[in-house]
Amino acid sequence: MRPLFYRCCNTTSVEKGNSATMGGLLFSTGLLGNLLALGLLARSGLRTCPRRSPRPPPSVFYVLVCGLTVTDLLGKSLVSPFVLSAYAQNRSLRGLAPASGSSLCQTFAFFMSFFGLASTLQLLAMALECWLSLGHPFFYRRYITPRRGALVAPVVGAFCLAFCSLPFAGFGKFVQYCPGTWCFIQMVHEERSLSVLSYSVLYASLMLLLVLAVVLCNLSAMRNLYAMHLRLRRLPRSGPKERAELAAGEREETPQPLEELDHLLLLALMTVLFTMCSLPLIYRAYYGAFKAVHEKNGTAEETEDLRALRFLSVISIVDPWIFIIFRTSCELDPETCS
């Protein structure tokens, strides 16, 4: 049965009036950012402050940001070339491999949902790491280790693989979106298609819960950083002995007593940008599932869906610039909070 409102679901050519400019810009910016991020990570490596010797093991943040950067780079490398190829050949994703039917479209949609969810889960892991390091330093030092941080990427990958493969088992459905260069989860309700509705809402709900968790963790971390800043501001009012004791106490309790205002601004920016990139897709999924959409408004609705998908793809572009470029002063130090 042909899905309602998806007029490009079976087309084999790219809809006229669309350009590869936006797709090319997103791909080049994401590729440049992630390659630059990997270069900075490789350059930093296990480097720490010159006064420290011997060199300590990599920080948990370093391990998590490596996993996130590799995930984002893989997502861009596996998804964007299909979009650019479709524009270059003026063929939709279905038209690029007509002999395989919808296999290419299904694979593309799987990659989109997989890497969108995987990046969000890894962002949550980084937010939790920051929250624990600042709010529960003793628990953090005892249980949060680089070795356990290295398990985040494979565990996230296994979960996303299982969850995003459900449409292949009949729970949920992937569909080609106009202009024929995107495939993703079907987000409009079909008559008597409870599985399509349920999976779309389930995916959106999971994303929403992750967004809320990231925001709450970052707000809590920002509050802890602000409290650190207030304590440090009171240091000059104490005598030399009191200042030394308080500063030593701060070093024992927190992974990083300095640059707290820089981290405060960084977390605020990350929280706002991450929320802005994720909420459009969540809104479109709920909107398509529960609101009666007339077929005559299909063109406008698909345009909004495409815009939401592009916002989702922007997350993998924003990640390296936020977590690497804008925090080079932290030098990925093992004592640095993410």
Side-chain angles (χ1 to χ4, degrees), residues 4 39 49 51 54 60 90 122 130 140 143 177 183 248 263 294 313:
L4 298 175
C49 297
R51 65 178 180 274
V60 178
N90 194 30
Q122 293 193 5
C130 183
Y140 178 86
Y143 295 106
Y177 284 78
C183 290
H263 286 172
H294 299 290
S313 67

Side-chain angles (χ1 to χ4, degrees), residues 3 6 173-175 177 184-190 196 200:
Y6 293 98
K173 192 172 184 179
F174 295 136
V175 68
Y177 284 78
F184 195 64
I185 300 168
Q186 183 175 334
M187 294 187 291
V188 174
H189 173 65
E190 277 184 65
V196 173
S200 174

Side-chain angles (χ1 to χ4, degrees), residues 63-295:
V63 174
L64 292 177
V65 80
C66 282
L68 176 63
T69 306
V70 171
T71 299
D72 289 339
L73 182 60
L74 283 175
K76 283 296 174 191
S77 301
L78 291 174
V79 170
S80 296
F82 290 111
V83 177
L84 299 179
S85 178
Y87 278 116
Q89 301 181 42
N90 194 30
R91 293 182 180 180
S92 69
L93 293 177
R94 280 179 168 268
L96 286 176
S100 63
S102 62
S103 297
L104 181 59
C105 178
Q106 301 284 312
T107 302
F108 184 97
F110 169 78
F111 284 151
M112 279 287 297
S113 57
F114 177 91
F115 287 106
L117 184 59
S119 294
T120 308
L121 284 168
Q122 293 193 5
L123 284 171
L124 175 60
M126 298 181 72
L128 285 171
E129 190 263 351
C130 183
W131 171 62
L132 289 173
S133 65
L134 289 171
H136 305 275
F138 298 108
F139 177 89
Y140 178 86
R141 290 178 180 274
R142 183 173 182 179
Y143 295 106
I144 308 302
T145 64
R147 178 174 297 181
R148 289 175 177 171
L151 295 176
V152 170
V155 170
V156 165
F159 173 79
C160 294
L161 178 64
F163 186 83
C164 297
S165 297
L166 290 176
F168 295 124
F171 183 67
K173 192 172 184 179
F174 295 136
V175 68
Q176 181 172 275
Y177 284 78
C178 286
T181 58
W182 294 77
C183 290
F184 195 64
I185 300 168
Q186 183 175 334
M187 294 187 291
V188 174
H189 173 65
E190 277 184 65
E191 289 293 335
R192 300 179 303 276
S193 183
L194 185 60
S195 66
V196 173
L197 171 66
S198 300
Y199 185 74
S200 174
V201 172
L202 182 60
Y203 188 92
S205 299
L206 179 58
M207 291 288 290
L208 179 60
L209 289 175
L210 294 176
V211 169
L212 291 176
V214 170
V215 170
L216 291 176
C217 286
N218 287 330
L219 288 177
S220 178
M222 290 162 60
R223 180 178 62 83
N224 290 327
L225 286 172
Y226 184 68
M228 288 172 53
H229 172 66
L230 293 180
R231 290 197 298 269
L232 290 175
R233 284 185 61 182
R234 290 195 294 266
L235 284 177
R237 301 179 182 179
S238 306
K241 183 178 180 180
E242 289 78 2
R243 288 201 303 269
E245 291 178 353
L246 184 55
E250 290 289 343
R251 282 193 295 269
E252 289 293 329
E253 293 178 2
T254 60
Q256 182 176 348
L258 302 178
E259 300 173 348
E260 67 280 356
L261 287 182
D262 291 339
H263 286 172
L264 183 64
L265 295 175
L266 171 66
L267 287 170
L269 178 63
M270 182 272 290
T271 301
V272 171
L273 290 177
F274 174 66
T275 304
M276 289 175 58
C277 291
S278 302
L279 287 182
L281 177 68
I282 297 171
Y283 168 76
R284 291 303 304 173
Y286 281 109
Y287 179 87
F290 296 111
K291 185 176 178 62
V293 182
H294 299 290
E295 189 171 1

